[in-house]
Amino acid sequence: MNAGDTDRRRFLLAAAGAGLAGAGGCRRSPPPVPPAQWVGDSAERGHRLHTHLPDARGGAPSGAPSGAPAVRRAQIVVVGAGVAGLAAARALGRRGLDDLAVLDLESQPGGNSRGHRMAGLDCPLGAHYLPLPGPNALAVSEWLHEIGLLHTSHGRSVPDERHLCHSPQERLFIDGAWHDGLLPPAEPGGSTLIQYPAWAGLHYFAGRQGFHAPGDDAPGRDAVFTWPEGNAWLIRRLAQPLAGRLHAGRLVHAVRVEREGVQVDAWDIASGRPERWQARAVVVAVPLFVAARLLADPPPALVAAASRMRYAPWLVANLALREPLLDRGLGAPASWDNVRYGSPSLGYVDAGHQRLSPAAGPTVITAYWPLTTTERSKLLADTASDWGHRITADLQAAHPDLPEKVQQIDLARHGHAMSIPVPGTRGSTALAALRELRGPVQFAHADLAGYSVFEEAFEQGERAARVLLEER
Ligand SMILES: Cc1cc2nc3c(=O)[nH]c(=O)nc-3n(C[C@H](O)[C@H](O)[C@H](O)COP(=O)(O)OP(=O)(O)OC[C@H]3O[C@@H](n4cnc5c(N)ncnc54)[C@H](O)[C@@H]3O)c2cc1C
C-alpha cells in the first residue's frame, strides 16, 4: 500500500465519521450511513465451548446446562456440517450406512461455505467459487458428475458452462483505472506486489487454478464454478439428501470412546437441554483446535497437529445496492471479481454477475477482508457500524457513487476462519498420522490437508468415511 492510498483512506474514513462531504471537501451533505448488522456465525455459540460447557475431561464451567441428558442413538454421528462433514455423511449414506446424525452448532449447514439472502438476492457468507477439480480430486469429480456439473465427452470431463464464471472474470483498479486480470501491469522500476497479509495473498492466488498474467487469455485457463450464493449452491446439494438426519443448533462439547462405541455430548441450543448421542463411531469434522478440546483423550497426533495450526480471521461484508455501480469509462468493465490495488481487502465479487438477464438491476456485492491474528479482537470489539464505515470507505475509493447506492450492509465474522498455510504444516508428520488413524473416532476437516479449500475438505470427508466403512 502506498502512502497516497493510506492518506486517501484515512481521509475518507475521517470524512465519513465527521459527516463531511465526499472527496474534495465540497459542502454537499453526505449520504446517510447505511444500516450495518451482524449475520452468520454466532461468536457467542462457539465461545460457550470454553465459557459455559463441560469439556470431555469433566471441567464444568458455571452456566453449563443441567439435568439428565436426552439419550439418542445413531450408528454414526458426524460432528460438524461443513463441507467435510457433509461429504463424509454423503459417502457413508451412498454405501448403505444411513443411520446417521449430523450435528452442527449453527442454525444452517455449510460452515465457511454458507450462503445468505438480502434484498431478495442470494449472496455468499464465505466461500464463493470452486475451480475445476484437478486430476487428484477424484471424489469431488465423481460428485460433480453425479450432480450434473461435469459430464463425460470423448473420455474427458467437461463442465456445464452455465455454472462457470461468466466473462469478464476479474479486474484490478490501479492508478485510477481498471485493468483486466489481477496482476498489476508491469511497471519499469515499480513494485508489482500487492500487500495483503502474506498468507491471504498466497492462499487466494495459489488456490486459483490457472491464475495468469494480464494478456494471457488461453481458453479455459481460469475456469471456476460460481453462483450468486457462492459455494452455498454446492452445500444445498450435499445437505438436501440428509433431510431429517441433520441436527442444527447442537453445540458438541465432549466426545468419549466407551467400551461399546462412542458417546457424543451436545447442547441443544433451542431447548437449552443436554443431549447424549450414542454411536458405533464418530466423524469429528470441526477445526482441529476445536477437535482437540472435545476429546477426553485426544490422540498425540491431534494434539501435535492442533498445536501447529494458526487460524486467520476474516470479515465478509455483503452490501445490497439499489442499482449497479457506475461504469465511469476507466478501463476494464465490471467483472465478477474486482480488486483495488493497495486496499486492505481482497476486493469484492458481484452476486449479480451470473445473472442471465441483460437488464442491470439491484445487486449485492460481497467484500472479503482478511485480518491478521493480532487483529482478531477487532471482530468483537468494533461495531457493525464501524465495519460498515470502513468497508464503505474502502470501496468508495474506486466507486465514488457507492455510498449513495448502499441500502444495507450484512457482515459475517469468521473469527477462526481457516488455517494459515504455514510452511511445513501440510506435509507434517502430525497431520499424516492423523489421516492414518484407525478406530471409531475419525477426523475430517480441511485442516487435515493443511489447506482450506472445498476440494480438500470434501476429500477429507470421503477419506474418513472410507476408513469407517472398511472397519465395519
Ligand atoms: C471468507 C472465506 C472465503 C473462502 N472462500 C473460498 C472459496 O471461494 N473457495 C474455496 O474452495 N474455499 C474457500 N474458503 C475455504 C473454506 O474454508 C472451505 O472451502 C470449506 O468450506 C471448509 O470446510 P470444512 O468442512 O473443512 O470446515 P468448516 O467450514 O470450518 O466446517 C466446520 C463445521 O463444524 C461446525 N462446528 C464447529 N465446532 C462445532 C461444535 N463444537 N459443535 C458442533 N458443530 C461445530 C461449524 O459450525 C462448521 O459448520 C473460504 C473460507 C472463508 C472463511
Side-chain angles (χ1 to χ4, degrees), residues 94-461:
R94 69 197 299 267
R95 291 174 187 97
L97 227 167
D98 51 14
D99 179 12
L100 298 169
V102 182
L103 315 180
D104 199 284
L105 74 95
E106 299 295 341
S107 312
Q108 297 294 330
N112 286 342
S113 297
R114 266 178 300 150
H116 184 52
R117 200 169 163 80
M118 64 191 296
L121 298 165
D122 290 328
C123 52
L125 276 189
H128 52 294
Y129 72 94
L130 172 67
L132 289 187
N136 296 329
L138 294 176
V140 178
S141 288
E142 184 197 63
W143 180 60
L144 297 186
H145 276 273
E146 191 181 303
I147 62 170
L149 283 180
L150 293 176
H151 67 274
T152 306
S153 173
H154 303 293
R156 297 172 69 101
S157 281
V158 178
D160 179 339
E161 289 194 9
R162 289 171 304 173
H163 301 274
L164 291 181
C165 183
H166 301 168
S167 213
Q169 192 162 314
E170 56 210 8
R171 63 176 179 165
L172 179 72
F173 190 75
I174 182 167
D175 293 335
W178 289 102
H179 296 263
D180 185 32
L182 288 184
L183 279 183
E187 242 180 76
S191 162
T192 57
L193 285 178
I194 305 178
Q195 295 188 10
Y196 304 119
W199 63 267
L202 178 73
H203 191 268
Y204 190 78
F205 293 115
R208 312 208 79 193
Q209 187 170 313
F211 177 66
H212 62 92
D216 174 4
D217 290 330
R221 289 298 296 264
D222 255 359
V224 300
F225 290 115
T226 188
W227 303 269
E229 68 272 48
N231 290 2
W233 191 93
L234 297 167
I235 292 297
R236 202 170 331 121
R237 278 148 188 85
L238 275 175
Q240 190 266 334
L242 290 169
R245 290 166 291 168
L246 196 52
H247 304 269
R250 301 308 202 278
L251 175 56
V252 172
H253 54 91
V255 174
R256 286 185 204 85
V257 180
E258 304 279 314
R259 200 191 300 232
E260 299 298 327
V262 291
Q263 189 174 286
V264 176
D265 284 344
W267 177 40
D268 175 352
I269 292 167
S271 69
R273 306 267 313 157
E275 267 180 3
R276 175 155 294 168
W277 287 83
Q278 286 173 338
R280 174 173 79 71
V282 61
V283 177
V284 181
V286 300
L288 292 183
F289 80 99
V290 179
R293 198 185 158 83
L294 299 185
L295 277 134
D297 194 9
L302 174 60
V303 178
S307 72
R308 291 189 75 103
M309 296 284 159
R310 297 287 172 275
Y311 293 86
W314 282 73
L315 183 101
V316 178
N318 277 296
L319 292 86
L321 305 182
R322 69 182 95 249
E323 55 186 270
L325 295 167
L326 271 182
D327 177 356
R328 295 183 294 143
L330 298 175
S335 301
W336 169 62
D337 193 4
N338 307 268
V339 177
R340 183 172 68 81
Y341 185 87
S343 160
S345 85
L346 281 176
Y348 68 88
V349 293
D350 183 349
H353 185 75
Q354 295 296 96
R355 222 183 267 148
L356 293 175
S357 149
T363 193
V364 175
I365 62 171
T366 311
Y368 288 84
W369 194 297
L371 295 126
T372 61
T373 49
T374 52
E375 292 173 317
R376 177 174 291 122
S377 57
K378 286 166 85 171
L379 289 180
L380 289 178
D382 295 358
T383 64
S385 169
D386 293 337
W387 278 105
H389 273 97
R390 207 168 278 152
I391 278 152
T392 306
D394 179 53
L395 293 169
Q396 188 179 8
H399 297 290
D401 56 320
L402 178 127
E404 69 213 32
K405 291 181 174 163
V406 184
Q407 290 175 291
Q408 165 84 35
I409 304 180
D410 283 359
L411 300 154
R413 40 189 169 193
H414 302 268
H416 311 268
M418 52 171 125
S419 54
I420 297 172
V422 178
T425 297
R426 195 166 155 79
S428 71
T429 49
L431 277 186
L434 208 49
R435 294 189 297 260
E436 292 296 315
L437 274 184
R438 294 296 176 263
V441 181
Q442 286 300 313
F443 298 93
H445 189 270
D447 278 4
L448 275 100
Y451 192 62
S452 190
V453 290
F454 185 95
E455 309 88 294
E456 296 285 8
F458 194 98
E459 297 284 335
Q460 293 305 325

